[in-house]
């Protein structure tokens, strides 16, 4: 760090954008009970909804700790002077507000980028929850923060930060890491009595899974054959999400690990199988090289514990005696003893984020690499023939882009002019794009010019080998 951490007292204050969202709720619910971390300013277009949320969470209605709507900087100052949290609709008002760190959770690439940049130029740290923003402009924002003696960080409790921290821990121990990743957001819960599999609120018939609950580890192709059969059995479910690709692109910038294939492997896997599945292909797994980031779909029975959107690292074992001892203690080790999987079966969203806010403000420590680089590109391929004039609308819980499938490319393999997915979101096609084509910047217009500038700044240079000092 080039300067003293911004916070100099025990209480850390934060501003929060997207204050009515799911992540925001979990953060507010937890900091309601953390006297050393408190909300200073909450920003959302629905200010009345924020007040209603606060009431539901038990914030006081009057006096210190209560919330009040402010429409100008004077109103924010008056609220803070009275020990109250200011609620604003206009994100530009954050420029003059007093707080230690911005938690950016709008999910809007353009709005979130401007909010984060304004915070950094105003001397505030930034905890970036909006992975859509990070996937386009995170490297430029991290550079700006470093130049200003500030912290730009992912937020613990969300999968990117949790996985980066697990990677950093394993790397620091000298473990030889082959693959890292997370589970998809929703488990595949197989009911053997009914022969059905349920993913969140969708249930399909999948009787074939009854005979596929164990991997075939006996033949060289056995693991991959089982995985292919499982994928066919649950083909009626959409298991991948744009959010998964976006999160793994953020992880790539801090770790140097990149996807093995652009659609990622997405194996249907039980937790105890991960060390066998993420072994190198020469040892029966799916991985073609070390240094891979990936996502898997959890397969479990109704009574079994969930992976809960958790994260994992798969490492080489080297000393078989050590890892056989650890296998006996319940750790996940591959059948041949060459690989082990270390995992955290949870992500607690904003419930865990206060740890990041304290570390950033009081200690100057990010939950990620202090110098991320553009190791991977989150791009998009048309899933159908798209006509000129089509608006690439972004929406839904996972911020999917209509008519476009997310793909994650190693940066060295991304053709020049590839459009980052969340720069193209809400832009308009200026020419026809055939199904299967990778979107390029020449295909679209109406994207945010400041986001493009930030993207280009991050693309200037990137290492060609995995990060060694996360």
């Amino acid at each position: 760090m080039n300067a003293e951490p911004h916070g100099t007292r025990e209480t850390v204050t934060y501003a929060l954008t997207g204050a009515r969202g799911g992540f925001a709720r979990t953060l507010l619910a937890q900091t309601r009970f953390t006297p050393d971390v408190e909300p200073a300013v909450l920003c959302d277009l629905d200010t009345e909804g924020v007040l209603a949320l606060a009431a539901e969470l038990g914030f006081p209605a009057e006096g210190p700790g209560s919330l009040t709507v402010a429409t100008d900087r004077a109103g924010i100052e008056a609220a803070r002077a009275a020990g109250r949290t200011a609620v604003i609709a206009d994100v530009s008002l954050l420029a003059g507000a007093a707080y230690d760190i911005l938690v950016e959770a709008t999910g809007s690439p353009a709005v979130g980028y401007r909010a984060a940049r304004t915070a950094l130029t105003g001397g505030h740290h930034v905890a970036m929850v909006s992975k859509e923003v990070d996937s386009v402009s995170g490297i430029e924002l991290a550079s700006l923060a470093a130049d200003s003696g500030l912290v730009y960080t992912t937020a613990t409790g969300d999968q990117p930060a949790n996985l980066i921290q697990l990677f950093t821990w394993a790397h620091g121990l000298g473990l030889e890491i082959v693959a890292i990743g997370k589970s998809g957001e929703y488990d595949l819960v197989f009911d053997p009595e009914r022969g059905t599999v349920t993913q969140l609120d969708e249930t399909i018939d999948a009787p074939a899974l009854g005979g596929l609950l164990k991997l075939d580890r006996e033949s060289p192709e056995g693991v991959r054959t089982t995985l292919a059969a499982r994928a066919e059995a649950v083909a009626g479910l959409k298991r991948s999400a744009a959010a998964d690709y976006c999160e793994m692109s953020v992880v790539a910038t801090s770790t140097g690990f990149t996807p093995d294939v652009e659609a990622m492997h997405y194996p249907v896997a039980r937790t105890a199988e991960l060390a066998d599945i993420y072994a190198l292909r020469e040892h029966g797994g799916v991985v073609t090289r070390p240094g891979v980031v990936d996502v898997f779909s959890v397969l479990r029975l109704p009574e079994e514990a969930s992976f809960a959107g958790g994260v994992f690292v798969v490492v080489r074992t080297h000393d078989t005696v050590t890892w056989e001892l650890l296998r006996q203690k319940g750790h996940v080790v591959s059948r041949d003893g060459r690989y082990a999987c270390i995992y955290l079966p949870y992500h607690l969203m904003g419930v865990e984020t206060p740890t990041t806010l304290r570390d950033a403000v009081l200690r100057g420590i990010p939950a990620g690499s202090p110098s991320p680089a553009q190791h991977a590109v989150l791009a998009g391929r048309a899933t159908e023939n798209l006509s000129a004039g089509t608006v690439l609308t972004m929406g839904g819980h996972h911020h999917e882009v209509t008519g476009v499938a997310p793909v994650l490319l190693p940066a060295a393999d991304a053709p020049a002019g590839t459009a980052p997915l969340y720069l193209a979101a809400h832009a308009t096609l200026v020419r026809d794009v055939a199904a299967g084509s990778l979107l390029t910047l020449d295909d679209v217009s109406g994207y945010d010019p400041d986001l493009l500038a930030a993207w280009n700044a991050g693309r200037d240079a990137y290492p060609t080998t995995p990060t060694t000092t996360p």
Side-chain angles (χ1 to χ4, degrees):
M1 299 294 291
N2 298 326
E4 294 285 334
H6 185 75
T8 57
R9 58 194 186 287
E10 288 188 4
T11 299
V12 173
T13 59
Y14 67 89
L16 172 64
T17 50
R20 282 276 290 142
F23 190 98
R25 182 193 179 104
T26 62
L27 176 59
L28 288 168
Q30 192 59 37
T31 53
R32 169 88 172 81
F33 300 101
T34 51
D36 62 332
V37 179
E38 66 178 37
V41 187
L42 305 179
C43 181
D44 197 281
L45 293 174
D46 182 7
T47 56
E48 290 304 313
V50 173
L51 295 179
L53 173 60
E56 184 180 343
L57 293 175
F59 282 81
E62 298 291 340
S66 63
L67 279 64
T68 183
V69 174
T71 57
D72 54 25
R73 290 186 177 88
I76 296 174
E77 292 171 1
R80 296 303 298 147
R84 306 178 75 182
T85 299
V87 180
I88 61 175
D90 184 356
V91 69
S92 68
L93 292 178
L94 287 174
Y99 63 91
D100 293 319
I101 185 167
L102 171 69
V103 180
E104 208 308 298
T106 62
S108 169
V111 173
Y113 170 67
R114 286 190 174 81
R117 187 173 181 85
T118 297
L120 291 169
T121 55
H124 307 287
H125 306 288
V126 172
M128 181 56 69
V129 175
S130 298
K131 48 195 170 286
E132 301 83 1
V133 177
D134 207 321
S135 70
V136 181
S137 60
I139 296 169
E140 190 257 2
L141 290 169
S143 177
L144 175 59
D147 290 344
S148 304
L150 297 165
V151 172
Y152 175 84
T153 179
T154 52
T156 304
D158 223 3
Q159 289 110 321
N162 288 8
L163 181 50
I164 293 164
Q165 289 176 319
L166 183 60
F167 169 89
T168 303
W169 169 84
H171 185 276
L173 290 177
L175 295 169
E176 184 182 347
I177 306 170
V178 175
I180 62 177
K182 53 159 258 181
S183 71
E185 190 162 352
Y186 306 117
D187 294 357
L188 301 176
V189 183
F190 178 64
D191 185 334
E193 294 181 4
R194 294 181 174 84
T196 61
V197 64
T198 299
Q199 181 178 250
L200 191 58
D201 56 0
E202 185 176 4
T203 299
I204 64 169
D205 291 327
L209 281 180
L212 299 169
L213 291 178
K214 292 185 178 181
L215 286 178
D216 174 6
R217 295 179 171 96
E218 301 301 325
S219 64
E221 293 291 328
V223 168
R224 295 190 291 273
T225 299
T226 304
L227 294 178
R230 287 177 180 173
E232 183 177 354
V234 299
L237 296 171
K238 183 183 184 303
R239 297 185 288 114
S240 66
D244 295 336
Y245 291 85
C246 196
E247 288 173 343
M248 294 304 95
S249 75
V250 173
V251 170
T253 66
S254 277
T255 64
F257 278 40
T258 56
D260 209 8
V261 290
E262 67 174 37
M264 293 193 287
H265 288 294
Y266 272 100
V268 176
R270 307 188 77 179
T271 301
E273 302 168 346
L274 293 175
D276 286 282
I277 290 171
Y278 284 104
L280 294 175
R281 286 184 68 88
E282 64 201 70
H283 299 140
V286 302
V287 177
T288 64
R289 56 173 174 80
V292 164
V293 63
D294 203 64
V295 177
F296 78 99
S297 297
V298 177
L299 174 63
R300 65 177 178 87
L301 302 179
E303 66 274 14
E304 293 177 334
S306 171
F307 203 79
V311 298
F312 70 88
V313 297
V314 170
V315 302
R316 289 185 187 264
T317 56
H318 296 297
D319 183 55
T320 56
V321 176
T322 293
W323 287 95
E324 185 56 36
L325 175 64
L326 292 173
R327 188 205 299 271
Q328 293 168 10
K329 294 181 178 293
H331 290 276
V332 175
V333 180
S334 64
R335 183 183 178 91
D336 63 11
R338 288 188 172 103
Y339 301 89
C341 178
I342 304 162
Y343 60 96
L344 299 174
Y346 65 86
H347 78 294
L348 299 177
M349 299 178 69
V351 173
E352 199 176 357
T353 301
T355 61
T356 294
L357 306 187
R358 295 186 188 108
D359 283 345
V361 174
L362 302 177
R363 303 174 186 88
I365 300 172
S369 171
S371 54
Q374 195 71 62
H375 296 285
V377 175
L378 175 63
R381 288 194 185 278
T383 57
E384 57 192 79
N385 292 327
L386 300 173
S387 302
T390 299
V391 177
L392 301 176
T393 305
M394 180 185 80
H397 175 66
H398 294 297
H399 287 184
E400 307 281 349
V401 178
T402 303
V404 179
V407 294
L408 191 59
L409 308 171
D413 297 340
T418 298
L421 182 65
Y422 288 110
L423 179 66
H426 297 309
T428 302
L429 292 180
V430 297
R431 59 190 182 190
D432 295 345
V433 176
S437 297
L438 197 67
L439 286 178
T440 70
L441 292 170
D442 290 338
D443 292 328
V444 292
S445 69
Y447 48 76
D448 189 279
D450 291 338
L451 268 181
L452 177 61
W455 169 253
N456 286 333
R459 285 280 287 161
D460 282 345
Y462 56 86
T464 56
T465 56
T467 299
T468 57
T469 54

